[in-house]
Amino acid sequence: QVQLVESGGGLVQAGGSLRLSCAASERTFSSYVIYAMGWFRQAPGKEREFVAAIMRSSGTTSYADSVKGRFTIARDNAKNTVYLQMNSLKPEDTAVYYCAADQNFQRVRVAPYVWGQGTQVTVSS
């Protein structure tokens, strides 16, 4: 099975930037193929919401309207890593951010097969 490990979360002031990383690795005997990866977030009292996704092969991306122009998702296939560059951060961006992976680009944006454990991002006003 694929294992996802996030890093890069922390505290940042409003207007600042932060980059999240998600390293994907397959466990022993796993034949799962990662085709798409993405990011979700969940703030206290709110449902988990889609943030961004990327196709590993082509680099095609998809973004939630709330982060367009501010967040950028990218991948480094050689390192099996996906990044989320977050600029112009707002207090409402505060949430636990989860990395996700799936074999299907559409499904990874809705109900990913594999989830990371999450990393906290806190934006102060």
Side-chain angles (χ1 to χ4, degrees), residues 1-104:
Q1 189 70 18
V2 175
Q3 183 179 45
L4 305 177
V5 180
E6 301 100 330
S7 63
L11 299 172
V12 64
Q13 294 183 346
S17 299
L18 202 63
R19 189 181 76 159
L20 304 182
S21 298
C22 175
S25 62
E26 294 188 15
R27 297 176 179 176
T28 304
F29 306 120
S30 176
S31 61
Y32 184 85
V33 178
I34 299 173
Y35 182 72
M37 298 182 68
W39 291 93
F40 287 73
R41 66 186 182 185
Q42 186 169 22
K46 297 183 179 180
E47 295 185 0
R48 190 171 300 186
E49 65 175 345
F50 167 76
V51 176
I54 187 168
M55 294 178 63
R56 296 195 68 203
S57 59
S58 68
T60 300
T61 59
S62 179
Y63 295 94
D65 290 339
S66 61
V67 305
K68 286 182 178 178
R70 299 190 299 120
F71 291 10
T72 302
I73 188 171
R75 91 286 195 215
D76 185 338
N77 290 341
K79 297 181 179 180
N80 291 320
T81 300
V82 65
Y83 305 94
L84 184 67
Q85 179 65 47
M86 304 183 292
N87 298 325
S88 301
L89 284 164
K90 306 174 182 179
E92 49 263 44
D93 293 319
T94 295
V96 176
Y97 283 70
Y98 297 90
C99 181
D102 203 284
Q103 297 170 311
N104 184 280

